[in-house]
Amino acid sequence: MTHILIALALLVLAGLALTLKGGVIAILFITALLYLAYKRLSLLAYTVTFGVLLVAYSAIGEPAGLWKGFLWLLFAGLVLLNITPLRQSMLTRPFMKIYRRMLPAMSSTEREALEAGTVWWDGELFTGKPNWSKLLGAKAPKLTAEEQAFLDGPCEELCRMIDDFDITHRRGDMPQEVWDFLKRHGFFAMIIAKKYGGLEFSAYAHSCVLAKLSSRSAVVSSTVAVPNSLGPGELLQHYGTDEQKNYYLPRLASGEDIPCFALTGPRAGSDAASLPDSGIVCRGMWQGREIIGIKLNFSKRYITLAPVATVIGLAFRMFDPDRLLGSTTDIGITCALIPRETSGISIGRRHFPLNVPFQNGPIKGTDVFVPLDYIIGGPKMAGQGWRMLVEQLSVGRCISLPSSGTGGGKAAVFATGAYARIRRQFNMPVGKFEGVESVLAKMVGLTYTMDAARSVTAGAIDGGERPSVPSAMLKYHVTEMSRQIANDAMDIHGGKGICLGPRNYLGRGYQVVPVAITVEGANILTRSLIIFGQGAIRCHPFVLKEMEAARNPNRPQGVKDFDSALFGHIGFTLSNAVRSLVMAMTSARFTASPVDGPVARYYQHIVRFSASFAFAVDVAMLSLGGYLKKKENLSARLGDVLSCMYLASMVLKHYENQGRRPEDFPLVEWACRNLLYKAQEQLHGFLRNFPNRYLAGVMRLMIFPRGLQYSAPDDRLGRKLSELVLAPTDVRDRLCYPVYRRIEAGNALGLLQEVLEMADRAESLDKRLRVEGVKTGRITALDLPGQIDEGERVGLLSTEEAAWLRTYDRKVMELVNVDDFAPHELGTNGKPRPRSDVPTQEQAELFV
């Protein structure tokens, strides 16, 4: 109906145009055609409207020229394109043959990864015209009463029990009472259904628990995250046999069994297509009788919880050389559950990941014989392992690392804001220096962005989505933002941050950041290969349809489907080119926004970037074909643009979910400005490095006709953000929820909050001492305790004020001070150890 009204309006314009002459009517004609493309009329509707306008244009009576001849020729071409049989024979079939040769090779693991999960908001961003109602209509994530009680009860109590320096320095492990508490209260069973004894929490609750624990201890949060992420519990619930579920899930829920999952190995890493670990189907003895089973040989490393695991989830490549199960010899990647005590398994040794001693280590297996029933899901699921993994990874990767990274970022902001207020240099808080202010603002803005992405995406999972591409975006960008926040927090704290000890609340969080960068797909690989590589095919409205049609063995149906997708794709590309140009020229000011107010501009900007991005993607894929897969830097930049749009959308949705509080708007403004500026810069970098310079020029004209218009957040906005966390504001509390902030000995975050709440009065009293005492010569002491004493004697402070200020100063100095140790207190146990860098005999012979 909308298209009909548009066409009628254009006919009226055409009638008016009959009174116009020369260039004016030509401009009007071109404008009308661009408007039709902007509004994405169908090919038939576009052809009819084009013809009517052309007749009106020609009726002016001007002499026929090359321009009019070209337009009539173009109209004739459009008419022919609407004749489907002719179009398919003359254009679709020949191009389909070329397209099939251009298609990049795709392994079975790549295909299964593409098919995993669902397409959600990421798909809308590929359209160039995202439907905001799909995002804004989604239900805001919310904890149930049971989940909130768990967060406020057992989770809070667990945080109280944790002594992170004792765990990381003295023990190298959690104390037994913490292990017991985790098992007793179901921390390992958040994703397990209640009928098996689990908690069956929502994805959002799961995320909040990890965020809270991460604000206290990376070791504890990692230990809790793994059983609730990709591993035996998740795989059993979705694919296990009833017998496997009934046996293992109650044991996993109670903590009687501790799971780990072994995928990564020293030769292939996590590249499942090159997995060297094998399982050979053969006959063997099992519990006194001969059966058909699997003989496993494997070497795994970096396996979290392996040293203490009682049941091992194992990924291996399964072969049946004697065809005992059927005609297939290479069955494929398979997942099985292997009890720890199974003969042939070597397990128990530990890795030591950057002084953060969560349980992590290698597992090896030599001629480990197990029954076929050990395959997760039973023998029928043999060869389905990679599909199982990537389907579940789309959920787990959205939660574990993003939640832990966000919790660590929240803790860093909570601590650094308070520390920058109470730590003084040159008689003013260090947080008031512009240099510190800008760094603190960046920490705040990035934390808001991380929290928005974490919570909104978790809410989407609870709504039934399994967002595979956003999971890669969150894994990469949240862990990178967490790394930036850790670096910035360390810069502001200076020496306080680098001296480890019971008083240090930053050091271990800083050390653990590279661990998050490397696991579940190293960040370089995730950025350069996965985000755009998977998103371009999975999320694009036409590319996957074209690929499937081109590979369809039913040729007539394949041609029909390819024709539909191809010409839809052409119209889509032309429309996005026009939309990109128009919105760039107008700064998207006339683009519809689903909301009013100042935040509406960011919705408009995202739509503009969506159109520019979609146009750039189509030009790149059409011109480079399968070669784009090898141009990793171009793919990475396009992935960054997609990610920035996604994260900005999450920020806007998060703002809506939290009630559009005006005091939160500076956070939204900083986050969106930062993300849109980065999107612009990545598109600019993409165009600068595009190999076809002619096409790069055309794209630049359509995307940046007025040059680069976006700028990073300015200093005034940064000052607003830093002020929000340099004082005990509601915004600070909302931003940093649910960090562990109880005021008690040993919890620096709670103690920092306590002195922050005292800071206003302390600064007022301190100013009185300086202005009325030190500057007038009535007070001569150099340090604050001496000034307080003299101020009380000369009457500048009352007895109560002096006592209060002394208490404040003691609390501050306890937080500012760092630890020191006697020489014998450092090291593992104070005893001399053999040198560990002396090569073994085997190593010496190897390198001779």
Side-chain angles (χ1 to χ4, degrees):
M1 186 64 182
T2 302
H3 292 161
I4 294 173
L5 293 175
I6 292 169
L8 289 174
L10 290 172
L11 288 174
V12 172
L13 287 174
L16 293 174
L18 291 173
T19 62
L20 302 176
K21 298 293 183 181
V24 176
I25 184 60
I27 292 172
L28 179 61
F29 182 80
I30 293 171
T31 302
L33 295 180
L34 291 176
Y35 185 73
L36 290 172
Y38 186 93
K39 286 297 183 179
R40 294 187 178 172
L41 262 69
S42 68
L43 177 61
L44 179 60
Y46 189 90
T47 303
V48 171
T49 310
F50 185 101
V52 172
L53 289 172
L54 184 55
V55 169
Y57 180 34
S58 300
I60 293 174
E62 293 183 352
L66 290 176
W67 172 243
K68 282 188 178 179
F70 169 75
L71 291 178
W72 278 104
L73 186 63
L74 180 60
F75 175 65
L78 287 174
V79 171
L80 292 176
L81 285 177
N82 280 275
I83 304 174
T84 303
L86 181 64
R87 182 181 72 218
Q88 290 180 357
S89 62
M90 298 295 292
L91 295 175
T92 303
R93 290 180 185 275
F95 185 75
M96 185 174 171
K97 292 180 181 179
I98 298 172
Y99 180 83
R100 292 180 67 186
R101 291 197 296 269
M102 291 173 59
L103 275 179
M106 185 180 296
S107 67
S108 60
T109 54
E110 288 178 308
R111 186 177 299 107
E112 288 171 344
L114 282 174
E115 294 169 354
T118 59
V119 176
W120 180 55
W121 185 247
D122 44 323
E124 290 295 321
L125 295 173
F126 263 91
T127 66
K129 192 179 179 182
N131 178 10
W132 288 106
S133 63
K134 182 174 182 178
L135 178 64
L136 297 181
K139 187 178 179 181
K142 185 179 180 181
L143 298 175
T144 65
E146 179 186 8
E147 292 166 344
Q148 187 67 61
F150 186 85
L151 199 65
D152 296 338
C155 202
E156 184 85 359
E157 179 64 16
L158 174 61
C159 288
R160 188 195 64 77
M161 296 171 64
I162 293 169
D163 180 345
D164 201 46
F165 186 71
D166 179 62
I167 291 172
T168 58
H169 183 73
R170 299 190 185 101
R171 295 177 183 270
D173 190 12
M174 299 184 303
Q176 188 59 46
E177 56 266 27
V178 171
W179 279 105
D180 292 342
F181 188 90
L182 292 173
K183 296 175 183 179
R184 187 166 62 252
H185 290 278
F187 280 87
F188 296 154
M190 288 190 285
I191 64 170
I192 295 177
K194 289 184 177 180
K195 66 180 180 179
Y196 298 112
L199 298 177
E200 202 173 339
F201 278 176
S202 65
Y204 181 61
H206 177 187
S207 176
C208 288
V209 169
L210 292 180
K212 188 179 186 75
L213 296 182
S214 297
S215 74
R216 188 67 165 140
S217 169
V219 173
V220 177
S221 65
S222 299
T223 303
V224 171
V226 169
N228 291 290
S229 185
L230 179 63
E234 183 86 344
L235 295 174
L236 281 169
Q237 288 203 118
H238 289 89
Y239 309 107
T241 64
D242 289 340
E243 184 180 1
Q244 289 171 339
K245 291 177 182 179
N246 292 331
Y247 177 78
Y248 276 115
L249 289 176
R251 294 168 65 90
L252 292 171
S254 67
E256 183 178 354
D257 271 330
I258 300 294
C260 70
F261 191 81
L263 172 63
T264 305
R267 293 191 179 274
S270 299
D271 177 9
S274 304
L275 204 64
D277 307 295
S278 65
I280 307 298
V281 178
C282 61
R283 297 183 185 277
M285 298 302 296
W286 181 258
Q287 296 179 351
R289 63 188 182 92
E290 186 181 74
I291 64 168
I292 295 176
I294 312 168
K295 183 183 290 185
L296 298 162
N297 284 277
F298 56 89
S299 177
K300 305 290 189 178
R301 64 178 181 179
Y302 311 148
I303 310 305
T304 299
L305 292 184
V308 297
T310 60
V311 60
I312 303 159
L314 181 70
F316 60 94
R317 196 169 191 91
M318 187 169 168
F319 299 92
D320 184 10
D322 297 329
R323 292 182 169 84
L324 297 175
L325 302 181
S327 59
T328 304
T329 56
D330 184 353
I331 295 176
I333 297 167
T334 302
C335 296
L337 285 182
I338 317 295
R340 179 191 183 100
E341 65 274 8
T342 305
S343 177
I345 291 179
S346 174
I347 189 172
R349 293 187 64 80
R350 296 179 62 180
H351 299 311
F352 193 25
L354 289 175
N355 257 8
V356 183
F358 57 93
Q359 292 286 341
N360 183 277
I363 310 175
K364 293 183 179 180
T366 304
D367 293 340
V368 180
F369 185 76
V370 298
L372 291 171
D373 289 343
Y374 278 19
I375 296 172
I376 297 176
K380 71 178 186 296
M381 295 302 289
Q384 301 297 309
W386 185 242
R387 178 179 65 82
M388 294 159 60
L389 294 176
V390 292
E391 285 179 352
Q392 300 314 311
L393 185 63
S394 60
V395 172
R397 194 163 52 179
C398 273
I399 299 174
S400 297
L401 292 173
S403 302
S404 299
T406 302
K410 287 171 176 278
V413 167
F414 194 77
T416 306
Y419 184 84
R421 177 69 182 275
I422 66 171
R423 184 76 171 97
R424 300 177 68 85
Q425 293 281 287
F426 309 109
N427 291 319
M428 64 183 291
V430 298
K432 297 295 184 180
F433 288 89
E434 278 198 355
V436 174
E437 224 172 38
S438 63
V439 173
L440 189 56
K442 181 171 55 174
M443 294 175 64
V444 172
L446 293 179
T447 299
Y448 188 80
T449 305
M450 294 159 64
D451 198 34
R454 171 195 72 89
S455 60
V456 175
T457 307
I461 293 170
D462 289 328
E465 299 292 342
R466 308 185 75 80
S468 56
V469 176
S471 75
M473 294 183 205
L474 263 65
K475 193 279 166 180
Y476 172 75
H477 288 281
V478 172
T479 56
E480 288 294 341
M481 286 187 275
S482 177
R483 169 152 59 182
Q484 183 65 63
I485 290 170
N487 288 340
D488 290 341
M490 194 64 76
D491 284 354
I492 292 175
H493 280 77
K496 169 66 180 175
I498 65 173
C499 293
L500 291 175
R503 288 187 176 96
N504 189 305
Y505 45 84
L506 284 182
R508 296 306 189 200
Y510 176 84
Q511 288 179 310
V512 80
V513 164
V515 175
I517 299 296
T518 61
V519 301
E520 291 188 4
N523 275 12
I524 293 175
L525 172 123
T526 300
R527 175 176 180 259
S528 61
L529 293 178
I530 297 178
I531 295 175
F532 177 74
Q534 188 173 353
I537 298 175
R538 188 68 198 277
C539 301
H540 194 287
F542 296 102
V543 169
L544 187 57
K545 294 176 182 177
E546 290 166 341
M547 294 175 66
E548 290 174 343
R551 291 184 170 126
N552 191 342
N554 183 342
R555 289 300 173 83
Q557 185 62 43
V559 170
K560 180 180 178 182
D561 294 343
F562 188 81
D563 178 78
S564 175
L566 174 63
F567 283 91
H569 194 165
I570 292 171
F572 174 79
T573 304
L574 293 174
S575 172
N576 281 323
V578 173
R579 291 176 61 81
S580 174
L581 176 63
V582 170
M583 286 189 280
M585 292 294 293
T586 61
S587 293
R589 290 188 179 277
F590 305 105
T591 303
S593 169
V595 301
D596 298 322
V599 76
R601 288 293 290 141
Y602 299 113
Y603 287 89
Q604 293 172 324
H605 290 313
I606 292 171
V607 173
R608 178 242 167 128
F609 272 109
S610 175
S612 297
F613 168 76
F615 172 61
V617 167
D618 281 337
V619 173
M621 295 180 74
L622 178 63
S623 61
L624 299 179
Y627 185 59
L628 180 59
K629 186 177 180 180
K630 298 179 180 179
K631 299 295 289 181
E632 294 178 18
N633 288 336
L634 293 181
S635 294
R637 292 185 179 100
L638 289 174
D640 287 343
V641 178
L642 175 62
S643 298
C644 287
M645 292 190 294
Y646 180 85
L647 293 171
S649 302
M650 298 301 100
V651 166
L652 296 174
K653 171 61 173 170
H654 188 58
Y655 184 56
E656 295 294 321
N657 287 346
Q658 293 196 324
R660 302 187 72 185
R661 293 181 171 91
E663 61 270 27
D664 287 349
F665 181 68
L667 301 172
V668 176
E669 186 177 11
W670 192 99
C672 287
R673 284 184 176 274
N674 176 59
L675 291 164
L676 292 170
Y677 174 70
K678 287 184 176 180
Q680 169 190 265
E681 294 304 296
Q682 292 303 323
L683 263 179
H684 174 54
F686 168 79
L687 296 174
R688 283 190 62 197
N689 291 278
F690 197 75
N692 187 318
R693 301 312 301 154
Y694 172 75
L695 287 178
V698 172
M699 285 190 286
R700 186 172 293 279
L701 176 65
M702 306 304 287
I703 295 172
F704 296 124
R706 298 171 56 193
L708 305 180
Q709 298 289 306
Y710 292 86
S711 57
D714 60 28
D715 294 343
R716 286 176 297 179
L717 181 57
R719 185 172 300 113
K720 290 180 182 178
L721 260 66
S722 66
E723 288 172 351
L724 292 173
V725 296
L726 286 169
T729 63
D730 290 341
V731 175
R732 170 185 161 90
D733 289 343
R734 251 189 327 272
L735 176 66
C736 297
Y737 179 83
V739 301
Y740 181 65
R741 52 182 292 178
R742 181 182 294 185
I743 300 173
E744 62 184 7
N747 182 25
L749 268 61
L751 299 176
L752 282 163
Q753 178 68 14
E754 181 187 29
V755 295
L756 179 64
E757 293 172 359
M758 302 169 70
D760 276 343
R761 186 185 183 193
E763 289 172 2
S764 175
L765 295 176
D766 180 70
K767 181 178 180 180
R768 189 193 307 170
L769 290 175
R770 285 186 290 104
V771 174
E772 299 180 30
V774 176
K775 289 187 177 181
T776 61
R778 298 169 68 188
I779 294 177
T780 59
L782 299 178
D783 63 347
L784 184 58
Q787 292 171 359
I788 295 172
D789 292 341
E790 292 186 24
E792 185 179 11
R793 282 199 301 272
V794 300
L796 289 177
L797 295 177
S798 68
T799 300
E800 184 275 330
E801 289 173 331
W804 186 91
L805 194 54
R806 289 189 190 98
T807 299
Y808 173 80
D809 183 57
R810 284 195 298 270
K811 290 178 181 290
V812 168
M813 293 313 298
E814 178 61 27
L815 288 164
V816 169
N817 285 334
V818 300
D819 297 287
D820 52 69
F821 303 89
H824 71 274
E825 293 180 284
L826 298 178
T828 55
N829 59 12
K831 297 179 182 179
R833 287 181 174 270
R835 283 184 57 180
S836 59
D837 59 346
V838 176
T840 64
Q841 180 66 29
E842 181 181 357
Q843 291 170 329
E845 292 173 355
L846 178 64
F847 290 105
V848 168

